[in-house]
Amino acid sequence: MTVCEYKPGLEGIPAAQSSISYVDGQKGILEYRGIRIEDLATKSTFLETSYLLIWGELPTKEELTAFEEEILHHRRVKYRIRDMMKCFPETGHPMDALQASAAALGLFYSKRALDNPDYIREAVVRLLAKIPTMVAAFQLMRKGNDPVRPNDNLDYAANFLYMLNEREPDPLAAHIFDVCLTLHAEHTINASTFSAMVTASTLTDPYAVVASAVGTLAGPLHGGANEEVITMLEEIGSVENVRPYLDDCLQRKSKIMGFGHRVYKVKDPRATILQDLAEKLFEKFGHDKYYDIAVELERAVEEKLGHRGIYPNVDFYSGVVYRKLGIPTDLFTPVFAIARVAGWLAHWKEQLAENRIFRPTQIYNGIHNADYVPIEER
Ligand code: SDX
């Protein structure tokens, strides 16, 4: 075996072969199963896209209807899970609540049969169906309310907004939310997907796979950045303060949230689509001053850091959209997770098809033959 150079963060090291998605970071191209994200965002739905990601092909009308119906029938969560969630502290972060409740599903569906396609399908359906219900339930329960039962007359995206806000959403808002889910559904071997793949490679259950991925997505360098972006825009407070704020960040060498990407060296195509969606929402529901701050920040960052390939990523404009949809700031990352479950499950299935446990090596840089010093002498 040849000895490879150590690359912090595994930059540029292929850790898998995959046919699920593709990113060209120089040209700003993202494809799911070869289909451009722009096409999926305008022509598909989140559930159709999930089917494409997980089973590799666009479904026929009958296959899609059957899939949607299965999801619809599995949206409810068992009362014991709701009771468990009621005991979570209301001050806890919703990502922690989601990680715990996703893992708890494994207690109820513990009979593992990874070589059985019916088991795989059931797990996919359960996770896609129940994760939004659990996110909405925690939101209501932490306010002291009972969770809202899923509404069988509403599609996937509309039903989530309904369970969250306790009223049927405007059709444009529901459509835009569905597009947001499609945009966030998959993105090659990012940190949370890698986490899912490593966990999957041990042949554990899919609920543990998703729970480990949720924990990884939560960090501010990954999915958690969408929440940090809004906090940053609030801190900036006005368009006039954008440049002084940015100069201060650059001087302190602190990261500007929602900017930069390991792979993209141009603007993330998802950020461009999200920006369009934000403008559509403002046309109907009124403007948001934080959008103006965001646009000015993008301009200023491009001037100062564009030559280094630092541009808005997916997390930059998503928060502005979610705010307008009435989603609380600390639910932005759980909403990212609702979408990314599709990608995680696609990678879980792909990993199982040709599995070998992940076990990389390390370069030991510690000492050898060290003396054991008795405690009294230390
Ligand atoms: C997501 O991987 C995926 O696909 C993830 C994702 C997905 O869909 O799954 O796209 C979702 O996680 C988006 C990223 C969200 N995170 C943020 O917005 C946090 C802010 N961005 C960064 O911290 C950073 O850009 C990362 C974490 C996204 C990428 O990290 P890298 O590839 O390890 O890059 P780096 O931190 O080593 O930065 C390289 C250089 C550094 O300068 P030098 O030390 O070389 O002088 O670029 C600078 C950095 O300081 N830099 C930034 C910056 N991002 C990079 N400087 C200021 N602000 C930034 N945001």
Side-chain angles (χ1 to χ4, degrees), residues 190-212:
N190 56 82
S192 57
T193 299
F194 189 40
S195 175
M197 289 162 65
V198 172
T199 308
S201 80
T202 69
L203 300 184
T204 186
D205 72 76
Y207 308 101
V209 168
V210 167
S212 88

Side-chain angles (χ1 to χ4, degrees), residues 8-9 11 23 183-184 186-193 217 219-226 229 250 253-265 268 270 301 305 308 310-311 313-316 336 340:
E11 179 165 5
V23 173
L183 295 177
H184 285 82
E186 156 67 6
H187 208 245
T188 72
I189 189 166
N190 56 82
S192 57
T193 299
L217 185 71
L221 293 184
H222 191 13
N226 57 10
V229 168
L250 295 178
K253 293 195 182 311
S254 69
K255 295 277 167 64
I256 300 115
M257 288 297 163
F259 285 87
H261 198 276
R262 175 67 62 80
V263 185
Y264 290 118
K265 298 304 160 204
D268 185 327
R270 299 166 297 175
V301 172
L305 301 175
R308 294 171 58 194
I310 296 169
Y311 285 91
N313 60 49
V314 69
D315 288 328
F316 190 58
F336 189 155
R340 189 53 63 84

